[in-house]
Amino acid sequence: MSSVIDSEATINAFIETTRPNFDYIITITAFSACLFTLFILLLALSTRESRRRVVFRLNVLAICISLTTSILAGVSSGKAIIDPYNPVLTNIFIAASAFVYFPPLLYDSILLTRICALYPPSSTPPVTLLKIFAFPFCVKCARAVFITLCIKNIIKSVTTTATGVLVQDVATIWFRNPNIISEWTLQIVDNTYSVSLFLYNLHVRARPLKSRGGIPNRIYQVFCVSAGNFVFPIMLNITLLIFVTSDHTFNTGGGLLLLINNYVTVMGVLCATIWFSSLDTSKEPPSDELLRLKLNLMRPPTSGGMGGGEMMVIGTGAVTPDPWQV
């Protein structure tokens, strides 16, 4: 009877130990499938011209990084399930950690390119560009430093025994880590600055059109998509800050939420790009008109201020710089 109880206790302990890894596998599989589907949709809706744009290439790079993160995290979690007494190699674990913490910098940089549509470098004074981009550049540099220190802590915390078995002191890395807390706080500040500046300028430039009888549907869609790309990552970042300051164990939900946060950020940027790509394919103007719009769309401001681009009304419609076609 005691042997049966001992066996049951051993099985329950094994299930409790491996359950977080099962959660990781399910989450990784679901979101990777969504990313791959969105990638195929992006290729299907893109044109030869759109594939030359910087935003399109950055989106492809973001998808490749996310899928690489999925592979590394899947290998780490799968190894822990299949062979729990011989965990994954140290190098793979460190690489997976780096691919989890570093990519949000790239994703936020893709969102920052929307500002270039409102302040094109070719027609905006250098002093204005310095005022606009100096703060987010400094914030991103500080985030890179904190992430590097976090990865350094992970490398120090990961030790091996004589047989090469990996030992992961996750609690030491995770709970109230000042580098992680600082990085996520700066990420909130970075996103708030970029989105607030973009939405404010979009509102100011759409005000003349609003006074004429309403905001064009395209501008309203840009506003909604940009707000959505801001709200959901901010909510996840705040939740992560709550987890890291109150939860001693990484696997109770914080690690899973960290992966979900990365996936949601990529999918938000990708969905926005696909949305505006679909609008381009369905409402593409003639080639000569498109060329004329490109030549005349961005004009230097005629009065004071930081403006670099402006609305232009042609006929009954309004044209505004597309923030996803930089």
Side-chain angles (χ1 to χ4, degrees), residues 13-29 70 72-85 87-88 93 168 170 250-253 255-256 259:
F14 175 77
I15 293 175
E16 290 295 327
T17 303
T18 58
R19 188 185 337 184
N21 295 301
F22 275 109
D23 295 337
Y24 286 132
I25 294 294
I26 294 174
T27 302
I28 290 169
T29 303
S70 300
L72 293 173
V75 169
S76 302
S77 300
K79 181 69 173 176
I81 296 173
I82 297 174
D83 193 2
Y85 299 103
V88 72
F93 177 74
Q168 304 170 5
V170 181
F250 180 77
N251 288 329
T252 56
L256 191 63
L259 280 175

Side-chain angles (χ1 to χ4, degrees), residues 45-292:
L45 294 176
S46 63
T47 60
R48 180 178 300 178
E49 180 184 354
S50 65
R51 285 191 286 269
R52 297 174 182 172
R53 294 168 181 155
V54 177
V55 171
F56 180 86
R57 298 175 181 178
L58 289 177
N59 274 278
V60 174
L61 178 61
I63 293 173
C64 294
I65 292 176
S66 298
L67 294 179
T68 304
T69 304
S70 300
I71 294 173
L72 293 173
V75 169
S76 302
S77 300
K79 181 69 173 176
I81 296 173
I82 297 174
D83 193 2
Y85 299 103
N86 294 295
V88 72
L89 297 177
T90 305
N91 295 335
I92 297 179
F93 177 74
I94 295 174
S97 302
F99 271 88
V100 168
Y101 286 101
F102 269 110
L105 271 176
L106 172 64
Y107 309 152
D108 295 338
S109 298
I110 296 175
L111 294 176
L112 188 63
T113 57
R114 295 174 300 182
I115 301 179
C116 295
L118 299 176
Y119 301 99
S122 60
S123 60
T124 305
V127 176
T128 301
L129 292 176
L130 181 63
K131 292 178 181 179
I132 295 172
F133 292 101
F135 178 75
F137 177 77
C138 293
V139 170
K140 284 177 170 54
C141 290
R143 290 178 57 186
V145 171
F146 286 122
I147 294 175
T148 303
L149 293 175
C150 179
I151 299 300
K152 184 179 179 181
N153 292 336
I154 292 176
I155 296 175
K156 288 183 178 180
S157 299
V158 174
T159 59
T160 56
T161 62
T163 58
V165 179
L166 184 65
V167 179
Q168 304 170 5
D169 191 4
V170 181
T172 304
I173 302 171
W174 170 259
F175 183 63
R176 293 182 180 177
N177 189 311
N179 297 318
I180 296 178
I181 295 175
S182 300
E183 201 283 325
W184 288 338
T185 303
L186 288 177
Q187 186 176 0
I188 294 176
V189 174
D190 192 6
N191 291 336
T192 302
Y193 172 82
S194 300
V195 175
S196 299
L197 179 63
F198 175 78
L199 294 181
Y200 172 76
N201 280 274
L202 192 65
H203 171 71
V204 170
R205 293 156 196 257
R207 189 179 301 168
L209 298 177
K210 184 177 180 181
S211 63
R212 294 188 184 101
I215 300 178
N217 188 40
R218 179 67 173 258
I219 301 177
Y220 179 76
Q221 292 169 352
V222 172
F223 184 89
C224 293
V225 170
S226 300
N229 285 336
F230 169 72
V231 171
F232 293 108
I234 288 296
M235 293 174 58
L236 290 173
N237 281 336
I238 294 175
T239 307
L240 281 171
L241 287 174
I242 296 174
F243 266 95
V244 76
T245 55
S246 61
D247 193 355
H248 288 266
T249 306
F250 180 77
N251 288 329
T252 56
L256 191 63
L257 190 62
L258 179 59
L259 280 175
I260 294 176
N261 185 27
N262 291 350
Y263 286 125
V264 168
T265 304
V266 177
M267 292 173 64
V269 176
L270 188 58
C271 286
T273 306
I274 292 174
W275 178 265
F276 291 105
S277 297
S278 64
L279 292 178
D280 286 340
T281 55
S282 60
K283 299 180 180 180
E284 187 173 359
S287 58
D288 55 343
E289 182 182 356
L290 180 62
L291 179 60
R292 182 168 57 88

